[in-house]
């Protein structure tokens, strides 16, 4: 019976499809990027023009007065130090803790590992609530304590699941060979598991870093001292108090001497400028780890 051959694909159709896909994803990229670009150009523009919504594609009346005013009123440098410290330390310890727990959950000799794994996963779906959480944290002495930023998010069940699934897909023979040679759990974990799991660890690091950097609720609930306030919490305060802050800046002696209608702060200019300051660091760091993200999240999420 002769083989029935399909019709050859039309090159023009392929070119049309590729062009449409390119146009579609280009527009989608612009839609995603434009809000950040909009914030930046408005923070650098004439405040009176920006307040009327007339800055859309490029800065109008370029000036840096908004940034100077914000750094003069709020101690962003110390808040930035707190945010960077909690992000770096918290991310590193979260990755290490979740990686070790994920490794132990796939270890065959762990006592009642199925029970402990299901118990950990169950915490993703069931919670005691905000008030019991706060009472527990307060009883542990973590209020007004920098360690709260590190200890509370140390173990995340979702990250544990990703890492455990990734390790299960790695060659088991390497672990068995190391055990035959007399290697213990710490040696296998540090010398074999961690090097093999770099893609998924980078993925967890990105997710954890973004979560740590964007978190402000723990500061709102646990930190009453200003020295432990983070950039995100300051942004939260700006969003609530921008009107009163703008009035204070407008009535200051400095505003009467060097400020004009173009540089005089408004609630909108303060909100936009604070948002740019807080969001910019994570936008600069994220592309560095992006190449690990897709590979790690796919391999860690699918068991094969």
């Amino acid at each position: 019976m002769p083989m029935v051959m399909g019709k050859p694909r039309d090159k023009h159709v392929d070119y049309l499809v590729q062009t449409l896909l390119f146009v579609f994803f280009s527009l989608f990229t612009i839609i995603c990027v434009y809000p950040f670009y909009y914030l930046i150009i408005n923070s650098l523009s004439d405040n009176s023009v920006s307040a009327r919504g007339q800055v859309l594609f490029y800065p109008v009346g370029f000036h840096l007065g908004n940034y100077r005013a914000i750094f003069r009123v709020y101690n962003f440098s110390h808040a930035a130090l707190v945010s960077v410290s909690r992000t770096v330390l918290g991310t590193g310890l979260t990755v290490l803790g979740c990686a070790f727990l994920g490794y132990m959950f796939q270890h065959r000799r762990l006592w009642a590992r199925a029970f402990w794994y299901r118990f950990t996963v169950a915490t993703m779906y069931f919670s005691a609530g905000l008030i019991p959480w706060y009472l527990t944290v307060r009883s542990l002495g973590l209020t007004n304590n920098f360690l709260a930023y590190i200890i509370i998010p140390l173990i995340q069940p979702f990250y544990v699941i990703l890492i455990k699934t990734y390790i299960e897909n790695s060659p088991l023979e390497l672990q068995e060979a190391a055990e035959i040679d007399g290697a213990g759990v710490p040696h296998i974990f540090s010398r074999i598991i961690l090097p093999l799991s770099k893609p998924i660890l980078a993925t967890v690091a990105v997710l954890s870093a973004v979560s740590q950097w964007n978190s402000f609720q723990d500061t709102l609930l646990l930190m009453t001292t200003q020295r432990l306030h983070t950039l995100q919490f300051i942004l939260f305060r700006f969003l609530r108090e921008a009107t009163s802050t703008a009035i204070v800046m407008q009535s200051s002696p400095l505003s009467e001497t060097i400020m004009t209608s173009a540089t005089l702060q408004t609630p909108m200019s303060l909100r936009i400028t604070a948002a740019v300051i807080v969001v910019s660091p994570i936008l600069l760091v994220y592309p560095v780890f992006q190449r690990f993200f897709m590979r790690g999240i796919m391999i860690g999420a699918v068991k094969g």
Side-chain angles (χ1 to χ4, degrees), residues 17-301:
V17 171
Q18 292 177 5
T19 303
L20 292 176
L21 289 175
F22 176 80
V23 172
F24 172 77
F25 286 110
S26 298
L27 292 175
F28 183 76
T29 302
I30 293 174
I31 293 173
C32 294
V33 173
Y34 181 75
F36 300 104
Y37 176 73
Y38 179 84
L39 292 177
I40 294 173
I41 61 176
N42 275 272
S43 68
L44 299 171
S45 298
D46 184 321
N47 291 338
S48 60
V49 177
S50 177
R52 294 195 297 267
Q54 297 176 353
V55 180
L56 299 177
F57 302 108
Y58 52 86
V60 177
F62 180 87
H63 70 94
L64 298 175
N66 292 329
Y67 292 92
R68 287 194 294 265
I70 283 184
F71 280 104
R72 187 175 67 251
V73 174
Y74 283 89
N75 188 9
F76 268 87
S77 58
H78 183 74
L81 178 62
V82 175
S83 292
V84 171
S85 300
R86 72 166 294 181
T87 301
V88 173
L89 295 176
T91 298
L93 293 177
T94 296
V95 170
L96 189 62
C98 293
F100 185 75
L101 197 58
Y103 164 62
M104 294 307 297
F105 281 152
Q106 66 85 45
H107 204 286
R108 291 170 298 176
R109 293 201 297 270
L110 177 66
W111 174 76
R113 63 169 183 160
F115 167 77
W116 293 118
Y117 178 65
R118 292 188 177 92
F119 181 81
T120 302
V121 173
T123 60
M124 294 177 59
Y125 307 100
F126 302 100
S127 173
L130 182 60
I131 295 178
W133 174 85
Y134 175 78
L135 294 176
T136 301
V137 173
R138 189 179 66 174
S139 66
L140 294 175
L142 293 178
T143 54
N144 288 324
N145 191 334
F146 180 79
L147 291 178
Y149 293 139
I150 310 300
I151 296 176
I152 294 176
L154 185 62
I155 300 299
Q156 301 291 333
F158 176 66
Y159 302 157
V160 173
I161 294 172
L162 290 179
I163 296 174
K164 173 181 177 294
T165 308
Y166 186 97
I167 295 175
E168 288 176 343
N169 289 327
S170 62
L172 184 61
E173 292 78 7
L174 293 176
Q175 299 183 44
E176 294 176 346
E179 291 176 357
I180 292 175
D181 292 337
V185 170
H187 184 87
I188 295 175
F189 175 72
S190 60
R191 298 297 182 87
I192 297 178
I193 299 302
L194 290 183
L196 288 177
S197 305
K198 286 182 179 179
I200 192 62
L201 295 182
T203 301
V204 171
V206 172
L207 297 174
S208 178
V210 172
S211 176
Q212 283 275 14
W213 184 267
N214 291 334
S215 178
F216 75 92
Q217 189 175 14
D218 48 4
T219 306
L220 177 65
L221 296 175
L222 303 177
M223 309 301 173
T224 58
T225 175
Q226 191 171 357
R227 65 182 179 84
L228 292 176
H229 288 178
T230 61
L231 283 176
Q232 291 293 342
F233 181 74
I234 290 181
L235 175 60
F236 170 74
R237 289 180 56 188
F238 259 107
L239 296 179
R240 294 195 311 169
E241 305 171 3
T243 301
S244 58
T245 304
I247 294 175
V248 171
M249 289 183 176
Q250 292 171 9
S251 60
S252 65
L254 183 62
S255 65
E256 299 176 359
T257 57
I258 66 173
M259 288 189 180
T260 64
S261 61
T263 60
L264 196 62
Q265 278 70 45
T266 65
M268 178 179 179
S269 68
L270 292 179
R271 291 189 181 101
I272 290 176
T273 306
V276 172
I277 294 174
V278 173
V279 172
S280 294
I282 203 67
L283 289 179
L284 297 175
V285 172
Y286 187 83
V288 177
F289 296 95
Q290 186 180 11
R291 60 194 182 97
F292 298 103
F293 189 80
M294 287 305 298
R295 180 186 173 194
I297 200 72
M298 290 300 294
I299 297 178

